[in-house]
Amino acid sequence: MFLPIKLKLLLVLSILVGFAFSQDLSITYNGFLSTNLTLDGITEITPNGLLKLTNATRQEKGHAFFPNPVTFKNSANSSAFSFSTTFVFAILSEYPTLSGHGIAFVIAPTRGLPGALPSQYLGLFNETNTGNATNHVLAIELDTILSSEFNDINDNHVGIDINGLTSKLAEPAGYYSDKNGLFQNLTLISGKPMKVWVDYDGLNKHISVTLAPINMDKPNKPLLSLPYDLSPILNETMYIGFSSSTGSVLTSHYVLGWSFKMNGVAQGLDLSQLPKLPRVGPKQKSKVLTTGLPVILIVSLSIAISGVVYQVRIKKKFAEVLEDWELDYGPHRFKYKDLYIATKGFRDKELLGRGGFGRVYRGILPSSKIEVAVKRVSHESRQGMKEFVAEIVSIGRLRHRNLVPLLGYCRRKGELLLVYEYMPNGSLDRFLYDQPKYTLSWNQRFRVIKGVASGLFYLHEGWEQVVVHRDVKASNVLLDGELNGRLGDFGLARLYDHGTDPQTTHVVGTLGYLAPEHTRTGKATTSTDVYAFGAFLLEVVSGRRPIEARTQAEDPILVDWVFSCWNKGEILEAVDQNLGLDYVREEVELVMKLGLLCSHSEPTVRPSMRQVVLYLDGALALPELVSLSISATGLSFTNPEGFSDFALSYPSSMEKAFSHATSIAESLLSGGR
Ligand SMILES: Nc1ncnc2c1ncn2[C@@H]1O[C@H](COP(=O)(O)OP(=O)(O)OP(=O)(O)O)[C@@H](O)[C@H]1O
Ligand SMILES: *[C@@H]1O[C@H](CO)[C@@H](O)[C@H](O)[C@H]1NC(C)=O
Ligand SMILES: *[C@@H]1O[C@H](CO)[C@@H](O)[C@H](O)[C@H]1NC(C)=O
Ligand SMILES: *[C@@H]1O[C@H](CO)[C@@H](O)[C@H](O)[C@H]1NC(C)=O
Ligand SMILES: *[C@@H]1O[C@H](CO)[C@@H](O)[C@H](O)[C@H]1NC(C)=O
Ligand SMILES: *[C@@H]1O[C@H](CO)[C@@H](O)[C@H](O)[C@H]1NC(C)=O
Ligand SMILES: *[C@@H]1O[C@H](CO)[C@@H](O)[C@H](O)[C@H]1NC(C)=O
Ligand SMILES: *[C@@H]1O[C@H](CO)[C@@H](O)[C@H](O)[C@H]1NC(C)=O
C-alpha cells in the first residue's frame, strides 16, 4: 500500500478509537478520511477528508454519527457524566448574506434521527415532535436563519436546544475577547472556518458553549453558559454526531475536524492537518500568465475603445439644441442630461401615464432634488416651435394654487420635454371611473370643483391676457398632496394648431368635452372651455365619463342622461353610487344644474367662469331652468328670466363627438381683454 503517511496515521487513529469507545470514549478526527461515521441524507465525506454535511441542494438534510453507542451514565437513575467536544466547521453559501439553515452538534438516542425534517428543523425534529420530552435529544445549534416559530433571536446565533428547536439559551454568534472582555461578532455564514467547544460539567450540572475564529485559542469566557442537569435527557447510551439542513439557498455545510472526550477535556485539533475547504467562486487556473495576459490586454484595449466611443455617444446623446431665440428663456430651459438622470433614462418604471400628447415620467432633478413630472411631447415639425415655446414659457409664468406649475422645458430634435411640478395624487379620473380603489367624498369633490373653477377663472380673467385652456377634463385635473384640484396641460392643445397642416386635422380637445360650435368652427374660446367645464362637473358628480355606455337605461351621452334625470324630476338618480347618501343635496343639485347650464349648446347662454365661481360659492343664485321638452332633435329648456327657448342641439351628440375640429391658427392668447 502506498498510502501517504498522514493517511496511515489516521487509519491507526481510528482503529484505536474503535477500541476505546466502551470506556471513557476519546476520539480525535483531524479530517474524516477513513473514519467510520454513519452518514445519511445528502452527507458525504469528500475525497480530501471534509465531512460535507450538505451539498448545494435545496430542502435537504444530512447526518453524520459516530457509529457506536456512547455510554453517558452508569444506570437509569444516576447522573450523566461530564464530557467535552470541539469541532471546526464552515458554512459556504451561494450568497454572502443568505444561506441554508445551519449545523447542530447532536446527542440523540438513535443514530439517524428518523422522521426529522430539513430547513428550519435542522434535520433534528419535525413539527409534531419538536419540544416533546420523550425525544431525549441535546443539540447545540449554529443557526443562520431566523425562524420566528422557534423564537429565534436573529439569523446568526448559537443556541442550546433540549428536545426541541426552541433554544433554552441562545446568543448572537461571537466571542468575548480575552484581552478586553468585549464581545466580538462572528458571521456564521462568512465561509471562514470557526471552532466550537461544548463542555458539560456533570458535577455542577452546567453546559457551556464557546465559539471562536479558527486561529484563536479557546476564549476564557464562554458564549453560552447554562446551568442544566442533562441526566434526565441523556439515556445510558446515546449517539453523538452532527446534523444539518438546507433551505432554499444553495449552501454547503462542512465539518473539518472533530474531537470528543468523555470525562475529560477533548483533545485540541491540529489545524495543519485539517483538510482544505473548496475555493468559493470560479477556480483560478495557472494559465493566467500564458493565455490570460493576452486576453486581459485585448479586453482592456476594447474596454478603452468602447469607453471612448461611449463618451462620444453620450456627448452626442446629451448635446443641447439651442437656438438664438431660446437664449431669453434661460432659466426655463432644462438640460436634457438632467432630465435624463432625473427620470433614470426615461425608464418604464418611472412612467406615470400617457396621454394624447405623449408619455409622462416621474423624476427627481439631480441638483435640487425637486420631484417633477416630465412630459415628452413628440413633435415632428419644427414649424411653430418658436411660437409655441414662447407661449409655454409665458404661460409658465402663471402661478395659481389651482394650476399645475410648469417649471420649464427642454427642446430636442423631434421632441419637446415639459417639466411640471409633481402631483403626488395623480389625476382625478383615477378616483372617479370604473370602480376606483379610492373614491373621493362629496366634500373633497366639491372642493376640487371649486378649485378647478377658480383656476380656470384665473386663466380666463386673472392675467393680462386671456388664456384658453382648450382641454378641460377630469384627466387633466391633478391632485396635489392636500387633494387640491389643479388644472394641468394648459396651452398644450396649441401645439397641434401650430404644427399641423390644416388639411390633416387633429381633434383639438377631447371627445365629449367639445362644444358644438367648437367642432363647427374650430375656434376655441372661453365659452368652449366653459362647455368642457360643464362636462367636467357632471363627470365629478356622477362618476362616469362624458361618453360611455354603461347600462341600457342610461344614455351613453352623460349630458343627455343627466338632463333626462333632471327632466323627470329625479336629478339625484345621476349621483355617483359610490357616494351612497353621503352628500349635501343642495350642493349636488347646484353642481348638476350648473353642469347642464354650462353644457348649453348656445354659447351665449353659458355662464362665464366669473359667474361659475360666484354660483359655486353661493354668492349668486343659479337661474331656475324650466324644462320644456325632449324631442328627437334635442333637449330644450327655458329660463324664466327671459331667454327665449333654445332647442339644444345635443342630438347630433355622436356626430358632435366624432366630428373632427378643423384646426385653425387661432391665437391661444386671444388678445387683451
Ligand atoms: N404633474 C404631474 N404630476 C403627477 N402625475 C402627472 C402629472 N402630469 C401628468 N401626470 C400623469 O400622467 C398621466 C398622463 O398625463 P397627460 O396629461 O399626458 O394625459 P391626459 O391628460 O390623460 O391626456 P391628454 O394628453 O389628452 O390631456 C396622467 O393621467 C397623470 O396620471
Ligand atoms: C448532493 O448529494 C446527493 C447525494 O450524495 C447527490 O445525489 C446530489 O447529486 C448532490 N448534489 C449536488 C449538487 O452535488
Ligand atoms: C463501522 O461501523 C459499522 C456499524 O456502523 C460496523 O459494522 C463496522 O464494523 C465498522 N467498521 C470499522 C472499521 O470500524
Ligand atoms: C430509579 O428511581 C426510581 C424512582 O425515582 C426507582 O423506583 C428505581 O428503583 C430507581 N432505579 C435504580 C436502578 O436505582
Ligand atoms: C431513554 O430513556 C427513557 C427513560 O429513561 C426511556 O423512556 C426511553 O425509551 C429511552 N430511549 C431509548 C431510545 O432508549
Ligand atoms: C416525527 O418524528 C417521529 C420520530 O421522531 C416520527 O415517529 C413521526 O412520524 C414524525 N412525524 C411526522 C409528521 O413526520
Ligand atoms: C410526545 O410524543 C409522544 C409519543 O412520541 C406522544 O404520545 C405525546 O402525545 C407527545 N406529547 C406532546 C405534548 O406532543
Ligand atoms: C455586532 O452585530 C450587531 C448586529 O449585527 C451590531 O449591532 C453590533 O454593533 C456588532 N458589534 C460589533 C462589535 O461589531
Side-chain angles (χ1 to χ4, degrees), residues 142-334:
L142 304 158
D143 195 344
T144 59
I145 304 260
L146 194 164
S147 309
S148 47
E149 69 261 53
F150 307 129
N151 302 326
D152 278 358
I153 51 167
N154 64 12
D155 60 358
N156 182 48
H157 61 271
V158 182
I160 300 175
D161 296 353
I162 289 166
N163 290 331
L165 285 155
T166 304
S167 302
K168 288 278 179 279
L169 179 66
E171 289 291 343
Y175 64 95
Y176 295 95
S177 160
D178 280 347
K179 271 190 227 133
N180 51 18
L182 291 180
F183 181 76
Q184 307 288 324
N185 284 336
L186 286 175
T187 304
L188 296 175
I189 63 168
S190 62
K192 296 188 185 119
M194 291 174 213
K195 274 188 208 162
V196 179
W197 293 265
V198 179
D199 300 284
Y200 177 65
D201 180 344
L203 208 60
N204 297 316
K205 324 275 185 227
H206 188 274
I207 312 169
S208 64
V209 180
T210 314
L211 182 69
I214 183 156
N215 47 14
M216 186 179 281
D217 289 337
K218 185 179 179 186
N220 289 326
K221 183 176 176 189
L223 176 64
L224 298 174
S225 182
L226 176 70
Y228 200 94
D229 184 5
L230 287 180
S231 309
I233 310 300
L234 301 176
N235 285 4
E236 286 171 69
T237 60
M238 300 287 279
Y239 291 89
I240 55 175
F242 297 93
S243 177
S244 179
S245 69
T246 57
S248 38
V249 177
L250 299 180
T251 309
S252 301
H253 297 93
Y254 292 96
V255 178
L256 292 76
W258 176 32
S259 79
F260 182 95
K261 172 91 173 115
M262 189 61 78
N263 282 317
V265 178
Q267 194 182 324
L269 296 169
D270 182 348
L271 299 187
S272 65
Q273 284 195 44
L274 296 184
K276 295 275 171 295
L277 282 170
R279 182 182 291 280
V280 205
K283 278 184 189 158
Q284 271 184 332
K285 296 263 161 65
S286 57
K287 283 180 188 164
V288 165
L289 284 180
T290 53
T291 60
L293 216 57
V295 168
I296 287 171
L297 270 178
I298 290 170
V299 166
S300 43
L301 203 71
S302 48
I303 287 176
I305 289 173
S306 55
V308 170
V309 170
Y310 182 71
Q311 282 295 326
V312 170
R313 276 240 193 105
I314 286 282
K315 218 164 175 189
K316 211 170 150 193
K317 182 169 183 182
F318 294 122
E320 299 294 325
V321 193
L322 194 67
E323 288 177 24
D324 290 349
W325 55 265
E326 286 186 86
L327 293 174
D328 296 344
Y329 307 135
H332 295 283
R333 228 192 111 97
F334 281 87

Side-chain angles (χ1 to χ4, degrees), residues 352-361 372-373 375 404-405 420-427 429-430 471 473 475-478 488-489 492 509-510:
L352 286 169
R354 63 188 81 192
F357 297 105
R359 294 159 176 242
V360 182
Y361 294 86
V372 292
K375 180 173 268 189
V404 179
Y420 293 95
E421 207 173 286
Y422 177 71
M423 297 288 126
N425 284 312
S427 53
D429 55 341
R430 294 194 308 139
D471 204 4
K473 58 177 173 175
S475 72
N476 273 342
V477 170
L478 296 161
D489 259 6
L492 251 198
T510 305

Side-chain angles (χ1 to χ4, degrees), residues 36 38 67-68 111:
N36 192 19
T38 306
N68 304 315
R111 247 194 311 248

